[in-house]
C-alpha cells in the first residue's frame, strides 16, 4: 500500500510510484490554493490581508459569472519557497 503522503492521483505526478511518495512533493513549489474564502470577499479584501510587499507575484480570486461573488478559493504564487 501507498503511504499517507501519496497524492490522490499519483499517476498525474511524473516519476511517482507508491514506493517513492517523496518525489510527489517538490520543495520548490510556490503556488498554493487558499480555500474557504467567503463569497462576499473581494480581491481588495485579500490585498488588505496580504499586502503587496514582494512576497508574491500572482494572486487570483475566481468570481461567479456575474462577478458578484467569490467562488470560495484563490490561487497565490510566492516569489520564493524560502520565505
Amino acid at each position: 500500500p501507498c503511504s499517507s503522503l501519496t497524492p490522490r492521483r499519483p499517476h498525474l505526478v511524473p516519476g511517482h510510484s507508491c514506493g517513492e511518495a517523496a518525489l510527489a512533493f517538490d520543495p520548490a513549489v510556490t503556488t498554493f490554493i487558499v480555500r474557504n474564502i467567503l463569497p462576499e470577499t473581494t480581491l481588495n479584501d485579500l490585498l488588505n490581508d496580504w499586502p503587496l510587499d514582494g512576497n508574491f507575484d500572482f494572486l487570483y480570486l475566481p468570481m461567479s459569472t456575474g462577478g458578484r461573488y467569490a467562488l470560495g478559493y484563490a490561487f497565490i504564487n510566492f516569489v520564493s519557497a524560502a520565505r
Side-chain angles (χ1 to χ4, degrees):
C2 295
S3 83
S4 62
L5 296 177
T6 303
R8 290 184 182 180
R9 297 183 181 108
H11 62 282
L12 298 178
V13 179
H16 181 271
S17 71
C18 287
E20 300 172 321
L23 291 177
F25 300 99
D26 184 356
V29 169
T30 59
T31 303
F32 293 90
I33 297 175
V34 180
R35 295 182 180 179
N36 299 323
I37 294 177
L38 298 174
E40 59 272 8
T41 303
T42 66
L43 187 56
N44 286 333
D45 294 334
L46 292 182
L47 289 173
N48 287 335
D49 291 337
W50 300 321
L52 295 172
D53 56 4
N55 285 328
F56 63 93
D57 60 358
F58 181 80
L59 177 61
Y60 175 60
L61 177 66
M63 302 298 281
S64 64
T65 305
R68 296 183 63 191
Y69 301 103
L71 295 182
Y73 60 94
F75 295 95
I76 186 166
N77 183 64
F78 292 96
V79 177
S80 168
R83 287 188 175 189

